[in-house]
Amino acid sequence: MSTTKKINTTADLAIHGAPPAFTEPLHVGRPNIGNRDEFMQLAGEMFDRRWLSNSGPLVLEFERRVAEHLGVKHCVAMCNGTIALEIAIRALGMTGEVIVPSYTFIATAHALHWQGITPVFADIDPRTHNLNPDAVRSMITPRTTGIIGVHLWGRAAPVEALQSIADEHGLQLMFDAAHAFGCSHAGQRIGNFGRAEVLSFHATKFFNTFEGGAVVTNDDELAETMRLMRNFGFAGFDNVIHPGTNGKMIEVCAAMGLTNLDYMDTVIEANRRNYHAYREALAGLPGLSLVTFDKDELNNYQYVILEVDDDCPASRDQLVAALHAENVLARKYFWPGCHRMKPYRDLFPHAGLVLENTEKVANRVIVLPTGTTLSVQDIGVVAAIIGQVVGGKLK
Ligand code: T4K
């Protein structure tokens, strides 16, 4: 639990020379860790078996439970979400150009680039932060072979509209669901849309396997191909029948996954509590709003996203600087947008001209800490810092 001191006046702010409000940093992406005894038990059994990788019993059990949880036919567990993206992209036969949002973690674009495919960035809807289907349509060229939608913040991309576009133009459609484990769309668990969906179980995700990821799909043949691809294409001793790589999840990661599956509901409940505590504490502050979640859908509340509007008395960067000075390590995800990161800036120097909403949103977002290590009292202090900055004379 963090050690806090209560902030009462603007004179207390660390940027004015006072000690920081939190003696230990408050991180976005602090790992949630389930029952340690359960993990140690599974790890102990693993050591006894001397089976550490290559489709061991823990990975098989983990895949079975994830597939069951999502109501999807296949879960192909991988070493991380980025390799899972790359394997899914290759298995779907994407080539040439693939349309993606720029407003996403850089891995979405890199997974394409790393496979020799050009990521073509389409703009987002500023309300949902997800792809705008009209923008996607406008980026289709004769070289386009696919679309990767991202369910940003666990809120579903426009699944039906993207599927119509894909069907109309004969394109492959898959989703980067790295944020969306435990979330739903139209009453169905995310994991069941497009030809495949990719999950990340990185340490910073609400549910983690240290490092890890998976491709989930209802397509038998695709699942089989991806299982081959993640294990060098081996179909038995000395028999390679497909080009492949090493994308395997290891047993100790599956042990963490099985432990954390039992803890998942507790984490979601803590995240939901934190989200509502932020909502209440920040209500009424000028020029600030929290991204909302559809109460009829499931969400993991992994990300608490604050938007700083133009009429806010402080800028986004001033707020982030003030929070960092108090040891609240808020993040500017996903600023400045993939198209402004060096590899893609050089590729598309003028992309910003068609990515107006991406730039607007990337410039106004702050992601705040949450998770099981954060208390409602901590949130009160974070909100007090924000309140003081917004009420102060920083601008
Ligand atoms: N697609 C999307 C949409 C994604 O968001 C991601 C990953 C992927 C694909 C790729 O999936 P993976 O290949 O990663 O499975 C972090 C994560 O590394 C990344 O997994 C995640 N998205 C992204 C949103 O966040 P960074 O560059 O922000 O990481 P870093 O090192 O700055 O850590 C974030 C915070 O977490 C820090 O404040 C420290 C804290 N932290 C981190 C670790 C690892 C801890 O407190 N403990 C820890 O063990 O990318």
Side-chain angles (χ1 to χ4, degrees):
M1 190 63 61
S2 317
T3 312
T4 62
K5 89 177 172 65
K6 190 89 187 88
I7 297 185
N8 294 313
T9 70
T10 36
D12 278 330
L13 279 176
I15 47 175
H16 295 142
F22 294 91
T23 51
E24 296 292 329
L26 249 56
H27 289 284
V28 170
R30 205 75 175 143
N32 301 301
I33 300 168
N35 186 305
R36 290 179 194 202
D37 292 338
E38 187 181 337
F39 172 75
M40 293 301 183
Q41 170 78 26
L42 289 170
E45 290 166 10
M46 175 194 75
F47 288 130
D48 291 343
R49 267 193 301 275
R50 290 186 183 268
W51 195 274
L52 306 183
S53 184
N54 294 17
S55 293
L58 294 175
V59 167
L60 295 180
E61 174 65 2
F62 177 67
E63 291 184 332
R64 191 193 63 72
R65 284 195 53 194
V66 170
E68 184 184 74
H69 181 77
L70 298 179
V72 68
K73 271 173 96 176
H74 304 280
C75 167
V76 186
M78 307 265 183
C79 53
N80 61 56
T82 305
I83 294 292
L85 278 170
E86 286 186 39
I87 287 180
I89 286 164
R90 273 189 93 105
L92 285 175
M94 290 178 170
T95 56
E97 295 176 359
V98 170
I99 299 172
V100 282
S102 168
Y103 190 56
T104 177
F105 187 59
I106 196 70
T108 322
H110 276 351
L112 288 165
H113 195 37
W114 207 249
Q115 292 299 320
I117 298 169
T118 307
V120 172
F121 299 117
D123 208 6
I124 53 167
D125 178 332
R127 287 172 309 112
T128 64
H129 297 187
N130 277 318
L131 276 176
N132 172 350
D134 293 334
V136 170
R137 235 176 242 288
S138 72
M139 304 310 274
I140 295 174
T141 75
R143 295 191 71 227
T144 310
T145 61
I147 303 168
I148 302 181
V150 180
H151 304 301
L152 209 80
W153 318 134
R155 302 191 303 178
V159 168
E160 290 77 14
L162 294 179
Q163 190 63 64
S164 303
I165 296 171
D167 292 346
E168 208 177 301
H169 294 268
L171 305 175
Q172 297 288 346
L173 174 66
M174 60 175 266
F175 291 97
D176 177 339
H179 296 182
F181 189 44
C183 302
S184 70
H185 170 63
Q188 190 171 19
R189 291 261 181 191
I190 285 178
N192 287 278
F193 300 104
R195 286 203 63 204
E197 303 213 51
V198 173
L199 303 166
S200 165
F201 308 133
H202 183 259
T204 56
K205 297 290 186 276
F206 89 101
F207 168 88
N208 83 86
T209 61
F210 300 112
E211 288 269 0
V215 189
V216 288
T217 181
N218 287 307
D219 184 322
D220 298 341
E221 205 177 318
L222 188 64
E224 192 45 39
T225 305
M226 293 188 297
R227 285 188 204 287
L228 286 169
M229 284 178 152
R230 78 167 167 188
N231 187 28
F232 315 103
F234 272 111
F237 285 154
D238 311 324
N239 184 25
V240 174
I241 61 166
H242 205 286
T245 183
N246 184 353
K248 288 169 275 133
M249 175 177 274
I250 59 173
E251 286 287 272
V252 75
C253 291
M256 185 66 151
L258 289 167
T259 304
N260 282 341
L261 278 175
D262 293 336
Y263 187 51
M264 199 158 94
D265 290 345
T266 308
V267 178
I268 292 175
E269 198 37 54
N271 281 352
R272 194 201 329 260
R273 175 205 65 197
N274 291 348
Y275 171 77
H276 287 293
Y278 273 119
R279 273 203 88 75
E280 204 171 308
L282 295 169
L285 290 182
L288 296 175
S289 54
L290 275 190
V291 159
T292 57
F293 297 98
D294 184 342
K295 62 177 176 15
D296 295 328
E297 300 289 356
L298 299 170
N299 200 283
N300 53 40
Y301 297 88
Q302 175 178 325
Y303 295 102
V304 177
I305 309 106
L306 185 64
E307 293 198 74
V308 184
D309 300 334
D310 289 344
D311 61 354
C312 182
S315 72
R316 187 273 301 270
D317 287 355
Q318 285 170 330
L319 271 165
V320 170
L323 286 165
H324 281 207
E326 300 293 347
N327 245 339
V328 180
L329 302 187
R331 299 296 295 262
K332 299 195 271 190
Y333 291 149
F334 288 103
W335 179 84
C338 296
H339 68 290
R340 285 197 178 268
M341 301 285 197
K342 188 169 185 323
Y344 306 107
R345 189 174 65 220
D346 292 351
L347 213 56
F348 306 112
H350 307 298
L353 295 175
V354 289
L355 298 173
E356 195 186 336
N357 292 325
T358 299
E359 301 219 326
K360 217 182 271 173
V361 172
N363 283 321
R364 72 179 182 213
V365 160
I366 301 177
V367 178
L368 297 169
T370 186
T372 49
T373 57
L374 201 73
S375 70
V376 168
Q377 187 205 4
D378 291 334
I379 290 169
V381 177
V382 174
I385 296 164
I386 294 171
Q388 286 185 11
V389 177
V390 167
K393 297 188 179 71
L394 282 169
K395 207 165 185 184

